[in-house]
Amino acid sequence: MSEVKDSKYLTTREVAAFLNINEKMVYYLVNDKGLPATKITGKWLFPRRLVEEWLETHVLNCQRTGIDRSSNDGILLMAGSDDLLLQKVLSLFYKKGLGTVFFANLGSMGGLKSLRLGLCHIGTCHLLQDDNAEYNFDFAKEELDRAPVFVNFSKREQGILLQKGNPKGIHSIVDLAKKGVRIVNRQLGTGTRLLLDYEVSKSEISASQIEGYQKEVSRHMDAGLEVLSGRADAAPAIKAVAGLLDLDFLPLRWERYDLLIARERFFEKGIQDFIGLLHEKEFRTLAESFTGYDISLCGKMIFPDNLKIKE
């Protein structure tokens, strides 16, 4: 600890310990909160003095300035990580006359932030925790004043989209650094980007060695279209995109994609109608039309103390 205290520059792990947060939250703070950092060496470094000054400038009370509109009014507001199956369900919600849904594609951390500020009724999230087993619980604890209700939407298979036939011979994360391989990435604050950052960090390569690592797209389908068009050789995304676009796919892991709902809003009619839709036959039929989804937990409330997900 004395070495960390006297160090002029901090690593990601040291900043996480200093701020008492998990390491993946640090990337969000860099992107969304302006946490001072440099990546000249290929790894994130944080000037200790600037980190301390940044922390002091953010010592203020966060006033809740969110919406007063209840989902009982027929309008449901959602924000967070995008998902192909979710988009189908939003259309089904409207077609069944249950109301209108407005969805803001802000990434998982954006969904948490919107939920904290009261700007949405439901946040969508798939953030891998530092234990590399659970999702979302620790991030919600750090970002929100009060724990939300967690309802699972699905488990999804995450990986790397590849051109049909895998002409560049990409068989592992390390192969993304091969000469002539170009990727597109997802933006900081998304669960998909955090997963790729993690996979790269535990490999023998660095992000600076991967061509296109800083080129970002906002949706899974956007990533797929870049690969399909030949503008990229690979991109992180869910398997469902590979199935729709007939692309090859390098699997990384199954993840849990959850709906996070403020406790005081949980029993509002609009929210309960949406959750109820997840138990109907029409939803199951939609889910079966995609590859890479597991809906065995869908529509169920989950808790950090009694849920164990087997990879």
Side-chain angles (χ1 to χ4, degrees), residues 178-233:
K178 288 167 56 175
K179 186 176 181 180
V181 172
R182 299 165 301 162
I183 78 164
V184 293
N185 209 342
R186 297 293 304 284
Q187 67 268 39
L188 288 169
T190 63
T192 301
R193 174 62 175 270
L194 291 175
L195 175 60
L196 183 60
D197 286 344
Y198 166 73
E199 293 291 337
V200 170
S201 71
K202 73 176 186 178
S203 74
E204 60 193 57
I205 64 172
S206 67
S208 62
Q209 296 175 272
I210 302 175
E211 183 180 350
Y213 204 86
Q214 304 305 324
K215 182 179 180 181
E216 301 173 353
V217 294
S218 61
R219 300 182 306 154
H220 290 278
M221 185 58 74
D222 294 334
L225 292 174
E226 289 293 305
V227 176
L228 182 66
S229 69
R231 290 188 292 268
D233 302 302

Side-chain angles (χ1 to χ4, degrees), residues 122-139:
I122 299 176
T124 60
C125 191
H126 62 109
L127 293 167
L128 178 63
Q129 298 177 178
D130 283 341
D131 59 13
N132 298 316
E134 276 294 357
Y135 287 81
N136 304 326
F137 297 127
D138 286 352
F139 287 90

Side-chain angles (χ1 to χ4, degrees), residues 80-241:
S81 173
D82 79 307
D83 180 77
L84 300 183
L85 179 56
L86 177 67
Q87 292 299 326
K88 293 289 187 181
V89 178
L90 301 187
S91 297
L92 182 61
F93 187 83
Y94 176 74
K95 290 177 182 178
K96 292 178 74 69
L98 298 175
T100 302
V101 184
F102 292 93
F103 178 79
N105 177 26
L106 304 175
S108 291
M109 288 306 308
L112 277 176
K113 180 179 179 181
S114 296
L115 199 63
R116 173 173 60 83
L117 296 175
L119 300 176
C120 67
H121 300 120
I122 299 176
T124 60
C125 191
H126 62 109
L127 293 167
L128 178 63
Q129 298 177 178
D130 283 341
D131 59 13
N132 298 316
E134 276 294 357
Y135 287 81
N136 304 326
F137 297 127
D138 286 352
F139 287 90
K141 183 177 180 180
E142 291 165 357
E143 181 71 15
L144 305 177
D145 296 330
R146 184 184 183 194
V149 177
F150 296 86
V151 176
N152 180 250
F153 182 78
S154 72
K155 288 186 283 183
R156 316 184 301 183
E157 192 168 14
Q158 278 272 17
I160 306 296
L161 303 176
L162 305 170
Q163 291 182 3
K164 188 68 175 178
N166 192 14
K168 295 298 179 72
I170 300 169
H171 302 289
S172 69
I173 289 293
V174 173
D175 291 332
L176 296 179
K178 288 167 56 175
K179 186 176 181 180
V181 172
R182 299 165 301 162
I183 78 164
V184 293
N185 209 342
R186 297 293 304 284
Q187 67 268 39
L188 288 169
T190 63
T192 301
R193 174 62 175 270
L194 291 175
L195 175 60
L196 183 60
D197 286 344
Y198 166 73
E199 293 291 337
V200 170
S201 71
K202 73 176 186 178
S203 74
E204 60 193 57
I205 64 172
S206 67
S208 62
Q209 296 175 272
I210 302 175
E211 183 180 350
Y213 204 86
Q214 304 305 324
K215 182 179 180 181
E216 301 173 353
V217 294
S218 61
R219 300 182 306 154
H220 290 278
M221 185 58 74
D222 294 334
L225 292 174
E226 289 293 305
V227 176
L228 182 66
S229 69
R231 290 188 292 268
D233 302 302
I238 55 176
K239 187 176 183 179
V241 174

Side-chain angles (χ1 to χ4, degrees), residues 51-70:
V51 170
E52 292 174 341
E53 291 178 359
W54 173 88
L55 186 61
E56 289 178 2
T57 63
H58 285 76
V59 178
L60 47 83
N61 294 325
C62 178
Q63 183 178 359
R64 190 179 181 89
T65 57
I67 55 171
D68 293 325
R69 178 185 292 275
S70 166

Side-chain angles (χ1 to χ4, degrees), residues 245-264:
L245 299 181
D246 194 27
L247 298 171
D248 281 11
F249 185 75
L250 174 65
L252 292 178
R253 66 184 297 148
W254 283 85
E255 65 176 12
R256 206 181 67 239
Y257 179 86
D258 294 335
L259 309 175
L260 278 59
I261 306 162
R263 289 177 178 269
E264 62 270 22

Side-chain angles (χ1 to χ4, degrees), residues 89 92-93 96 98 122 151 259 261 266 268-284 298-300:
V89 178
L92 182 61
F93 187 83
K96 292 178 74 69
L98 298 175
I122 299 176
V151 176
L259 309 175
I261 306 162
F266 182 69
E268 291 180 0
K269 184 178 185 299
I271 291 173
Q272 287 300 309
D273 284 345
F274 186 84
I275 295 173
L277 189 58
L278 304 182
H279 298 280
E280 296 188 8
K281 183 178 180 180
E282 292 100 321
F283 167 75
R284 304 283 159 168
C298 182
K300 298 179 180 179

